[in-house]
């Protein structure tokens, strides 16, 4: 059955089959999961339905703590993202945070153009326009729009990794617990492959203006 044909009832029906299958394979599966959540990874990804964190990384429920939004942004005034980040760092004690972008990202493509998408979405996408402006010479040097869009997807991932490092909650975890490692990845819709763009180890170099010295 294709996605287009699926009804809302089909989702609930599938859920019953899935739950029954899991119990058949492992009778303690839900009992164990419901009593304990200890994921080592936080995933900050795009809301795009074609980039499901668990499927593409082969991870099971309980293994990845997930935050997704349009174009995988880390916005320092976004209380939703910051709550997820703080919980992941101070309670779950995650070892790795992955920012995962993807080529063909609709949010990134929208930010490259001049069309208004409504006042809320415009504000969100403005964060990506700022990334474009930061790297304008390299982006302008691209031979065509497609390669320019791919490069902006990559710059955007790198910028969001930096945005994580700029937060005091992350710097505190780096200073006192020497974790987590930050990773910037990009996913190819056309080949299903993840590529690593950037890694920041605890205490990695950051512009001094963003470093808090009284944490
Ligand atoms: Co996207």
């Amino acid at each position: 059955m294709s996605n287009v044909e699926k009804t809302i009832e089909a989702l609930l029906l599938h859920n019953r089959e899935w739950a029954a299958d899991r119990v058949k394979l492992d009778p303690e599966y839900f009992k164990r999961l419901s009593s304990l959540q200890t994921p080592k990874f936080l995933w900050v990804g795009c809301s795009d339905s074609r980039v499901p964190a668990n499927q593409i990384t082969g991870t099971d429920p309980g293994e990845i703590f997930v935050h997704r939004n349009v174009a995988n942004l880390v916005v320092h005034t976004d209380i939703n993202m910051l709550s997820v980040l703080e919980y992941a760092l101070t309670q779950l004690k995650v070892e790795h945070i992955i920012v995962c972008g993807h080529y063909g990202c609709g949010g990134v493509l929208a930010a490259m153009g001049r069309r208004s998408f409504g006042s809320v979405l415009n504000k969100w996408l403005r964060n990506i326009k700022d990334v474009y402006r930061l790297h304008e010479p390299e982006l302008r040097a691209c031979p065509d729009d497609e390669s320019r869009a791919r490069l902006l997807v990559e710059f955007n991932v790198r910028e969001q990794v930096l945005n994580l490092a700029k937060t005091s909650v992350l710097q505190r975890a780096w200073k006192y617990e020497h974790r987590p490692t930050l990773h910037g990845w990009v996913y190819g819709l056309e080949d299903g492959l993840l590529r690593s763009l950037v890694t920041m180890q605890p205490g990695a170099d950051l512009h001094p203006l963003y470093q808090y010295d009284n944490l």
Side-chain angles (χ1 to χ4, degrees), residues 116-131:
S116 167
F117 287 86
S119 65
V120 175
L121 207 41
N122 287 348
K123 287 177 185 64
W124 191 254
L125 297 177
R126 192 174 307 151
N127 293 292
I128 310 171
K129 290 181 187 282
D130 291 341
V131 176

Side-chain angles (χ1 to χ4, degrees), residues 85-96 168-181 201-203 215:
L85 179 65
E86 189 165 284
Y87 186 74
L89 288 172
T90 64
Q91 306 301 313
L92 298 174
K93 312 267 182 192
V94 295
E95 309 268 345
H96 301 273
S168 54
V169 67
L170 191 285
Q171 289 181 25
R172 203 173 294 124
W174 272 6
K175 184 174 180 181
Y176 294 107
E177 299 179 33
H178 208 66
R179 64 169 180 83
T181 302
Q201 301 293 343
L215 294 171

Side-chain angles (χ1 to χ4, degrees), residues 50-137:
R50 299 165 295 180
V51 195
N54 285 113
Q55 277 102 320
I56 66 176
T57 56
T59 45
D60 286 323
E63 291 192 293
I64 301 195
F65 198 56
V66 172
H67 177 78
R68 289 168 70 177
N69 62 40
V70 172
N72 42 270
L73 298 184
V74 175
V75 177
H76 69 96
T77 51
D78 176 5
I79 203 156
N80 183 351
M81 182 282 302
L82 292 171
S83 302
V84 170
L85 179 65
E86 189 165 284
Y87 186 74
L89 288 172
T90 64
Q91 306 301 313
L92 298 174
K93 312 267 182 192
V94 295
E95 309 268 345
H96 301 273
I97 303 180
I98 300 147
V99 175
C100 185
H102 66 100
Y103 297 122
C105 183
V108 171
L109 291 170
M112 291 178 77
R114 295 173 58 185
R115 182 177 158 201
S116 167
F117 287 86
S119 65
V120 175
L121 207 41
N122 287 348
K123 287 177 185 64
W124 191 254
L125 297 177
R126 192 174 307 151
N127 293 292
I128 310 171
K129 290 181 187 282
D130 291 341
V131 176
Y132 190 107
R133 191 163 45 80
L134 272 173
H135 300 281
E136 195 154 15

